[in-house]
Amino acid sequence: MDDWVIVGVAGSEAEAELLCSVLRGSGIECLTRVTNSGAGAGDGLGTAGAHNILVSAQEAQDAREILHEPR
């Protein structure tokens, strides 16, 4: 996972999964991970708090464009 980069931050696990589904629909592999900024906020619950959206470094620019295009 060394070549994975953060392309966005979602407010919850559900939002992160939704955004990843958009990326996956465009052929971009995506992972989510709880951010460090919310450490302790969920008191051990992995689904609470902000989540990073990660993609491979090679697909980062395309992913950012998809995530930030107006809906």
Side-chain angles (χ1 to χ4, degrees):
M1 198 154 128
D2 291 337
D3 66 335
W4 289 70
V5 296
I6 298 169
V7 294
V9 179
S12 67
E13 181 182 33
E15 181 185 0
E17 287 300 329
L18 178 65
L19 293 173
C20 272
S21 71
V22 170
L23 292 175
R24 290 179 189 122
S26 296
I28 297 175
E29 190 175 349
C30 180
L31 299 172
T32 66
R33 176 179 66 191
V34 175
T35 67
N36 289 337
S37 62
D43 289 349
L45 299 175
T47 61
H51 281 62
N52 290 327
I53 299 167
L54 299 102
V55 301
S56 70
Q58 296 82 8
E59 297 180 308
Q61 185 59 39
D62 290 339
R64 286 184 183 108
E65 289 174 8
I66 291 168
L67 291 177
H68 298 292
E69 68 185 23
R71 304 262 182 260

